[in-house]
mmCIF file of all heavy atoms in Angstrom:
data_model
loop_
_atom_site.group_PDB
_atom_site.id
_atom_site.type_symbol
_atom_site.label_atom_id
_atom_site.label_comp_id
_atom_site.label_asym_id
_atom_site.label_seq_id
_atom_site.Cartn_x
_atom_site.Cartn_y
_atom_site.Cartn_z
ATOM 1 N N TYR Z 15 38.664 20.594 -67.363
ATOM 2 C CA TYR Z 15 37.945 20.957 -66.117
ATOM 3 C C TYR Z 15 38.293 20.045 -64.956
ATOM 4 O O TYR Z 15 38.422 18.826 -65.249
ATOM 5 C CB TYR Z 15 36.371 20.852 -66.357
ATOM 6 C CG TYR Z 15 35.583 21.174 -65.171
ATOM 7 C CD1 TYR Z 15 35.306 22.411 -64.848
ATOM 8 C CD2 TYR Z 15 35.132 20.009 -64.326
ATOM 9 C CE1 TYR Z 15 34.548 22.765 -63.650
ATOM 10 C CE2 TYR Z 15 34.271 20.296 -63.293
ATOM 11 C CZ TYR Z 15 33.931 21.644 -62.892
ATOM 12 O OH TYR Z 15 33.264 21.814 -61.790
ATOM 13 N N ASP Z 17 37.367 19.104 -60.656
ATOM 14 C CA ASP Z 17 36.450 19.299 -59.640
ATOM 15 C C ASP Z 17 36.947 20.480 -58.565
ATOM 16 O O ASP Z 17 37.996 20.454 -58.195
ATOM 17 C CB ASP Z 17 36.264 17.992 -58.833
ATOM 18 C CG ASP Z 17 35.233 18.110 -57.770
ATOM 19 O OD1 ASP Z 17 35.337 18.646 -56.717
ATOM 20 O OD2 ASP Z 17 34.007 17.701 -58.089
ATOM 21 N N PRO Z 18 36.035 21.462 -58.326
ATOM 22 C CA PRO Z 18 36.403 22.526 -57.452
ATOM 23 C C PRO Z 18 36.878 22.027 -55.915
ATOM 24 O O PRO Z 18 37.872 22.620 -55.440
ATOM 25 C CB PRO Z 18 35.066 23.326 -57.246
ATOM 26 C CG PRO Z 18 34.352 23.086 -58.512
ATOM 27 C CD PRO Z 18 34.724 21.610 -58.844
ATOM 28 N N THR Z 19 36.429 20.850 -55.513
ATOM 29 C CA THR Z 19 36.890 20.271 -54.344
ATOM 30 C C THR Z 19 38.273 19.890 -54.269
ATOM 31 O O THR Z 19 39.073 20.266 -53.327
ATOM 32 C CB THR Z 19 35.906 19.012 -53.814
ATOM 33 O OG1 THR Z 19 34.537 19.388 -54.078
ATOM 34 C CG2 THR Z 19 36.315 18.620 -52.402
ATOM 35 N N LEU Z 21 40.589 21.153 -56.448
ATOM 36 C CA LEU Z 21 41.402 22.386 -56.621
ATOM 37 C C LEU Z 21 41.507 23.218 -55.281
ATOM 38 O O LEU Z 21 42.646 23.693 -54.961
ATOM 39 C CB LEU Z 21 40.902 23.230 -57.696
ATOM 40 C CG LEU Z 21 40.910 22.715 -59.179
ATOM 41 C CD1 LEU Z 21 40.049 23.510 -60.081
ATOM 42 C CD2 LEU Z 21 42.352 22.670 -59.578
ATOM 43 N N ALA Z 22 40.357 23.203 -54.543
ATOM 44 C CA ALA Z 22 40.496 23.878 -53.305
ATOM 45 C C ALA Z 22 41.382 23.262 -52.213
ATOM 46 O O ALA Z 22 42.001 23.810 -51.471
ATOM 47 C CB ALA Z 22 39.031 23.966 -52.675
ATOM 48 N N PHE Z 27 42.559 28.614 -52.155
ATOM 49 C CA PHE Z 27 41.100 29.041 -52.440
ATOM 50 C C PHE Z 27 40.152 27.964 -51.722
ATOM 51 O O PHE Z 27 40.472 26.855 -51.574
ATOM 52 C CB PHE Z 27 40.855 29.051 -53.947
ATOM 53 C CG PHE Z 27 41.494 29.953 -54.716
ATOM 54 C CD1 PHE Z 27 42.458 29.616 -55.650
ATOM 55 C CD2 PHE Z 27 41.276 31.380 -54.479
ATOM 56 C CE1 PHE Z 27 43.131 30.515 -56.371
ATOM 57 C CE2 PHE Z 27 42.017 32.421 -55.168
ATOM 58 C CZ PHE Z 27 42.984 31.867 -56.116
ATOM 59 N N THR Z 28 38.922 28.480 -51.348
ATOM 60 C CA THR Z 28 37.877 27.715 -50.813
ATOM 61 C C THR Z 28 37.068 27.096 -51.982
ATOM 62 O O THR Z 28 37.305 27.653 -53.183
ATOM 63 C CB THR Z 28 36.971 28.507 -49.900
ATOM 64 O OG1 THR Z 28 36.262 29.404 -50.701
ATOM 65 C CG2 THR Z 28 37.718 29.102 -48.745
ATOM 66 N N VAL Z 29 36.214 26.229 -51.735
ATOM 67 C CA VAL Z 29 35.483 25.594 -52.854
ATOM 68 C C VAL Z 29 34.599 26.552 -53.491
ATOM 69 O O VAL Z 29 34.455 26.694 -54.792
ATOM 70 C CB VAL Z 29 34.501 24.502 -52.304
ATOM 71 C CG1 VAL Z 29 33.553 23.955 -53.461
ATOM 72 C CG2 VAL Z 29 35.328 23.329 -51.870
ATOM 73 N N SER Z 30 33.865 27.580 -52.707
ATOM 74 C CA SER Z 30 33.110 28.623 -53.320
ATOM 75 C C SER Z 30 33.886 29.650 -54.168
ATOM 76 O O SER Z 30 33.385 30.090 -55.164
ATOM 77 C CB SER Z 30 32.326 29.315 -52.271
ATOM 78 O OG SER Z 30 33.206 29.919 -51.306
ATOM 79 N N GLU Z 31 35.114 29.782 -53.689
ATOM 80 C CA GLU Z 31 35.996 30.794 -54.479
ATOM 81 C C GLU Z 31 36.453 30.019 -55.772
ATOM 82 O O GLU Z 31 36.464 30.849 -56.836
ATOM 83 C CB GLU Z 31 37.383 31.086 -53.656
ATOM 84 C CG GLU Z 31 37.067 32.045 -52.455
ATOM 85 C CD GLU Z 31 38.199 32.137 -51.529
ATOM 86 O OE1 GLU Z 31 39.080 31.271 -51.395
ATOM 87 O OE2 GLU Z 31 38.226 33.228 -50.929
ATOM 88 N N VAL Z 32 36.631 28.753 -55.809
ATOM 89 C CA VAL Z 32 36.985 28.082 -57.060
ATOM 90 C C VAL Z 32 35.856 28.184 -57.945
ATOM 91 O O VAL Z 32 36.046 28.279 -59.186
ATOM 92 C CB VAL Z 32 37.448 26.619 -56.629
ATOM 93 C CG1 VAL Z 32 37.549 25.746 -58.042
ATOM 94 C CG2 VAL Z 32 38.667 26.598 -55.936
ATOM 95 N N GLU Z 33 34.710 27.990 -57.413
ATOM 96 C CA GLU Z 33 33.405 28.068 -58.297
ATOM 97 C C GLU Z 33 33.338 29.445 -58.892
ATOM 98 O O GLU Z 33 32.899 29.570 -60.083
ATOM 99 C CB GLU Z 33 32.192 27.694 -57.459
ATOM 100 C CG GLU Z 33 32.160 26.089 -57.091
ATOM 101 C CD GLU Z 33 31.153 25.797 -56.121
ATOM 102 O OE1 GLU Z 33 30.564 26.681 -55.426
ATOM 103 O OE2 GLU Z 33 30.915 24.576 -55.967
ATOM 104 N N ALA Z 34 33.480 30.464 -58.083
ATOM 105 C CA ALA Z 34 33.468 31.903 -58.607
ATOM 106 C C ALA Z 34 34.555 32.021 -59.728
ATOM 107 O O ALA Z 34 34.324 32.636 -60.777
ATOM 108 C CB ALA Z 34 33.705 32.881 -57.594
ATOM 109 N N LEU Z 35 35.822 31.446 -59.592
ATOM 110 C CA LEU Z 35 36.774 31.612 -60.507
ATOM 111 C C LEU Z 35 36.372 30.768 -61.807
ATOM 112 O O LEU Z 35 36.817 31.208 -62.899
ATOM 113 C CB LEU Z 35 38.242 30.961 -59.974
ATOM 114 C CG LEU Z 35 38.901 31.818 -59.040
ATOM 115 C CD1 LEU Z 35 40.054 31.152 -58.336
ATOM 116 C CD2 LEU Z 35 39.353 33.165 -59.674
ATOM 117 N N HIS Z 36 35.559 29.770 -61.659
ATOM 118 C CA HIS Z 36 35.112 29.005 -62.880
ATOM 119 C C HIS Z 36 34.285 29.868 -63.737
ATOM 120 O O HIS Z 36 34.358 29.841 -64.978
ATOM 121 C CB HIS Z 36 34.385 27.821 -62.417
ATOM 122 C CG HIS Z 36 34.137 26.870 -63.651
ATOM 123 N ND1 HIS Z 36 32.909 26.443 -63.922
ATOM 124 C CD2 HIS Z 36 34.905 26.346 -64.565
ATOM 125 C CE1 HIS Z 36 32.804 25.724 -64.910
ATOM 126 N NE2 HIS Z 36 34.123 25.641 -65.470
ATOM 127 N N GLU Z 37 33.503 30.612 -63.034
ATOM 128 C CA GLU Z 37 32.585 31.615 -63.868
ATOM 129 C C GLU Z 37 33.397 32.637 -64.557
ATOM 130 O O GLU Z 37 33.137 32.985 -65.827
ATOM 131 C CB GLU Z 37 31.672 32.355 -62.902
ATOM 132 C CG GLU Z 37 30.587 31.508 -62.131
ATOM 133 C CD GLU Z 37 29.737 30.794 -63.276
ATOM 134 O OE1 GLU Z 37 29.300 31.292 -64.255
ATOM 135 O OE2 GLU Z 37 29.616 29.451 -63.172
ATOM 136 N N LEU Z 38 34.563 33.126 -63.929
ATOM 137 C CA LEU Z 38 35.351 34.115 -64.581
ATOM 138 C C LEU Z 38 36.185 33.319 -65.732
ATOM 139 O O LEU Z 38 36.378 33.895 -66.875
ATOM 140 C CB LEU Z 38 36.350 34.610 -63.553
ATOM 141 C CG LEU Z 38 37.661 35.527 -64.087
ATOM 142 C CD1 LEU Z 38 37.074 36.716 -64.857
ATOM 143 C CD2 LEU Z 38 38.519 35.903 -63.001
ATOM 144 N N PHE Z 39 36.567 32.198 -65.405
ATOM 145 C CA PHE Z 39 37.283 31.418 -66.563
ATOM 146 C C PHE Z 39 36.402 31.154 -67.710
ATOM 147 O O PHE Z 39 36.926 31.333 -68.883
ATOM 148 C CB PHE Z 39 37.666 29.999 -65.998
ATOM 149 C CG PHE Z 39 38.477 29.100 -66.861
ATOM 150 C CD1 PHE Z 39 39.832 29.369 -67.061
ATOM 151 C CD2 PHE Z 39 37.827 28.112 -67.699
ATOM 152 C CE1 PHE Z 39 40.553 28.510 -68.029
ATOM 153 C CE2 PHE Z 39 38.403 27.321 -68.511
ATOM 154 C CZ PHE Z 39 39.786 27.571 -68.765
ATOM 155 N N LYS Z 40 35.193 30.792 -67.513
ATOM 156 C CA LYS Z 40 34.283 30.537 -68.574
ATOM 157 C C LYS Z 40 34.068 31.787 -69.538
ATOM 158 O O LYS Z 40 34.171 31.638 -70.712
ATOM 159 C CB LYS Z 40 32.870 30.147 -68.146
ATOM 160 C CG LYS Z 40 32.828 28.668 -67.651
ATOM 161 C CD LYS Z 40 31.436 28.220 -67.429
ATOM 162 C CE LYS Z 40 30.696 28.813 -66.513
ATOM 163 N NZ LYS Z 40 29.315 28.317 -66.134
ATOM 164 N N PHE Z 89 41.212 25.004 -67.179
ATOM 165 C CA PHE Z 89 40.557 25.445 -65.747
ATOM 166 C C PHE Z 89 41.526 25.124 -64.579
ATOM 167 O O PHE Z 89 41.875 26.064 -63.727
ATOM 168 C CB PHE Z 89 39.304 25.006 -65.568
ATOM 169 C CG PHE Z 89 38.751 25.430 -64.250
ATOM 170 C CD1 PHE Z 89 38.562 26.835 -63.951
ATOM 171 C CD2 PHE Z 89 38.233 24.552 -63.280
ATOM 172 C CE1 PHE Z 89 37.951 27.215 -62.784
ATOM 173 C CE2 PHE Z 89 37.627 24.969 -62.050
ATOM 174 C CZ PHE Z 89 37.537 26.330 -61.782
ATOM 175 N N VAL Z 93 43.438 27.916 -61.953
ATOM 176 C CA VAL Z 93 43.232 28.084 -60.661
ATOM 177 C C VAL Z 93 44.573 27.914 -59.869
ATOM 178 O O VAL Z 93 44.801 28.638 -58.939
ATOM 179 C CB VAL Z 93 42.191 27.124 -60.059
ATOM 180 C CG1 VAL Z 93 41.961 27.047 -58.581
ATOM 181 C CG2 VAL Z 93 40.834 27.375 -60.747
ATOM 182 N N ILE Z 195 37.456 36.815 -53.474
ATOM 183 C CA ILE Z 195 37.047 36.649 -54.936
ATOM 184 C C ILE Z 195 35.578 36.528 -54.900
ATOM 185 O O ILE Z 195 34.875 36.955 -55.891
ATOM 186 C CB ILE Z 195 37.788 35.439 -55.465
ATOM 187 C CG1 ILE Z 195 37.514 35.470 -57.116
ATOM 188 C CG2 ILE Z 195 37.378 34.088 -54.774
ATOM 189 C CD1 ILE Z 195 38.157 36.614 -57.791
ATOM 190 N N THR Z 196 34.892 35.942 -53.901
ATOM 191 C CA THR Z 196 33.458 35.694 -54.149
ATOM 192 C C THR Z 196 32.690 36.891 -53.795
ATOM 193 O O THR Z 196 31.545 37.121 -54.372
ATOM 194 C CB THR Z 196 33.031 34.559 -52.914
ATOM 195 O OG1 THR Z 196 33.563 34.955 -51.737
ATOM 196 C CG2 THR Z 196 33.333 33.240 -53.399
ATOM 197 N N PHE Z 199 33.834 39.114 -57.164
ATOM 198 C CA PHE Z 199 33.350 38.777 -58.455
ATOM 199 C C PHE Z 199 31.987 39.149 -58.924
ATOM 200 O O PHE Z 199 31.880 39.447 -60.033
ATOM 201 C CB PHE Z 199 33.446 37.054 -58.537
ATOM 202 C CG PHE Z 199 33.163 36.472 -59.844
ATOM 203 C CD1 PHE Z 199 33.958 36.779 -60.970
ATOM 204 C CD2 PHE Z 199 32.115 35.821 -60.058
ATOM 205 C CE1 PHE Z 199 33.668 36.309 -62.103
ATOM 206 C CE2 PHE Z 199 31.756 35.295 -61.307
ATOM 207 C CZ PHE Z 199 32.618 35.523 -62.317
#
Side-chain angles (χ1 to χ4, degrees):
Y15 177 81
D17 188 277
T19 309
L21 291 170
F27 298 113
T28 64
V29 173
S30 59
E31 288 171 337
V32 173
E33 289 170 346
L35 285 172
H36 188 237
E37 293 305 310
L38 172 59
F39 179 84
K40 283 194 294 186
F89 178 57
V93 175
I195 192 69
T196 46
F199 186 63

